[in-house]
Amino acid sequence: MILRGLLMAVVAAVALLVDTVVLANLTLAGVAPSLAVMTVVGFAHAEGPAVGVGYGFAVGLVTDLLGDGLLGSGALVLLLVGYLTGMARRVWTGGTLAGQIVAGAMGALLAAVGHGVLDLLFGVEGTLGGLVPQVLAAGLFGLLLAPLVLPALAWLLARLQPDQLVDRTWPSW
Amino acid sequence: MADRRRPTLLLAVLAFLSLVLMTLDFREDGEGPLAAVQDTAVSLFAPVQELAGSAVRPLERAVETVGELGELRERNEALEAEVEELRRRSVPLADLERENERLRELLDMRERYDFETVAARVIARPPGASRWSVLIDAGTDHGIAPGMVVIDGHGVAGTVTRATDGHARVQLAHAPEARYAVRVGEEGYDALLSGGGHRPMELQIIEDAEAQLDAGDEILTRAFQGTSIPDGLPVGRLAEGGATDRTPLLTVEPAVDFGALDLVQVVVDVPEAPPPEVLDEEDEGDAEGAEDSDDGHEDDDADEVADRAAAPIERLAVTRAQDPLASVTSQAPAPLSPRATR
């Protein structure tokens, strides 16, 4: 349990580092790919909604602290992403990798919609129509990142719990 | 069943907590305990980002270089042509410069003041959805304070919003909340420039004037009493022309490529007085008595700037006089403006 928490903290830190230093300038329609969102989707997909909510909130809060947006907005969006991904996992019956990719794209879309709606509510900028290209770009990035990030996270988690009854070996668990 | 209820409860509690935080932050508006926590978080994470950045940068450059090979050849040709053109123009330029100097002497006009800048590197962008700011590796230790303007080789990049000891956050000029007092066109109409966020920057003419503005007209900052933004820095160009009285909002092409910011300069020292106009005899007499008038003040400032520029800290003095755009002011048509050289 402690090890798992540590793993999540390290993953979150690395994801934020990559987001802010490397990926920040690779923008499409003004949107940059976000590894942090993808890790939320990944942990929620692998561990369920409870972990998704907790981890999403924590990563979102750190994002808010480091960023310049409204404190708490990132936390709210990412905990919702974590919750919904975790819940969707229970009803989804598709194959492993397909499920991960769909979850990644949906999660990224959802995060973009969430941020867009909050921006609208708080009058920061924009119109509902102007959101469309950003949401699509975010979804596309999610689609591209998910097959890289989600299996890697699932594999890391499986390594930490070798004696579990559930067989969680790479690539399917 | 317990497993089913736990995440929902957690969701409710944490969502509530987020909403509380948002409300507090919305009210707090940049001051108070939450902002202090944010500053601490930034100053803890920034060194790591700096380290990661310096590790990644050579790699990024290598990738970029490969990608740019074709473009480089084209640019080389263009640059060679430009060198030719400049060489041809340099003769009359030198002539104008001499004439300018002589006229200055004749009028006993002082050199326009310098402003002092601190060089800094862009370390990182903020995480999350809002991408209208950058983190730079210079802070209050280097004399940086909120409100200072940040420039790069092309013009205004943004304004410092928060500063910790070693780092500062810069709100980019195209942030949705960014507003700049500017002037535009040959006549220098007063205008307000708003960053558009995902949309292009917009210009709103304030002055009640009937005039035709053309696409490509330069937009320059306008100094105000109480702000630390120097006068005459380029911010952008009009992307479309229009009549000032009929078109309330004009789109603007920013001078700076916000996606490619790397090395920037923070203007840390601007004399509080508006830029010195072309002085005549009366002004000169007044200035000796009144301490705060631009003339007497300017002299002190110039000395001070010279002293501080010599300090070991990494500082660069940008000479306004060297920038041909800098000396176009709205109030003074400036008969000696080096504008003729353009």
Side-chain angles (χ1 to χ4, degrees), chain B residues 49-50 52-62 121-123 262:
Chain B
Q49 288 174 312
E50 220 168 312
S54 55
V56 166
R57 208 167 295 125
L59 248 165
E60 253 178 2
R61 282 232 172 102
R121 187 183 278 284
V122 172
I123 312 171
D262 184 20

Side-chain angles (χ1 to χ4, degrees), chain A residues 33-59:
Chain A
S34 173
L35 220 52
V37 173
M38 220 31 62
T39 63
V40 173
V41 175
F43 282 129
H45 192 256
E47 301 279 298
V51 169
V53 169
Y55 178 80
F57 177 77
V59 171

Side-chain angles (χ1 to χ4, degrees), chain B residues 94-122:
Chain B
D95 219 357
L96 279 171
E97 226 167 60
R98 263 198 303 278
E99 190 190 334
N100 196 346
E101 216 172 79
R102 221 173 44 238
L103 285 168
R104 272 168 197 268
E105 277 169 15
L106 272 176
L107 274 171
D108 193 23
M109 198 176 97
R110 285 156 216 271
E111 205 62 54
R112 282 176 183 277
Y113 60 73
D114 298 352
F115 52 73
E116 192 185 347
T117 64
V118 171
R121 187 183 278 284
V122 172

Side-chain angles (χ1 to χ4, degrees), chain A residues 85-121:
Chain A
T85 308
M87 293 308 267
R89 168 91 183 105
R90 292 179 169 172
V91 291
W92 172 264
T93 49
T96 307
L97 190 64
Q100 287 171 337
I101 293 175
V102 170
M106 292 312 288
L109 274 176
L110 205 66
V113 171
H115 279 297
V117 169
L118 282 181
D119 276 357
L120 282 178
L121 283 181

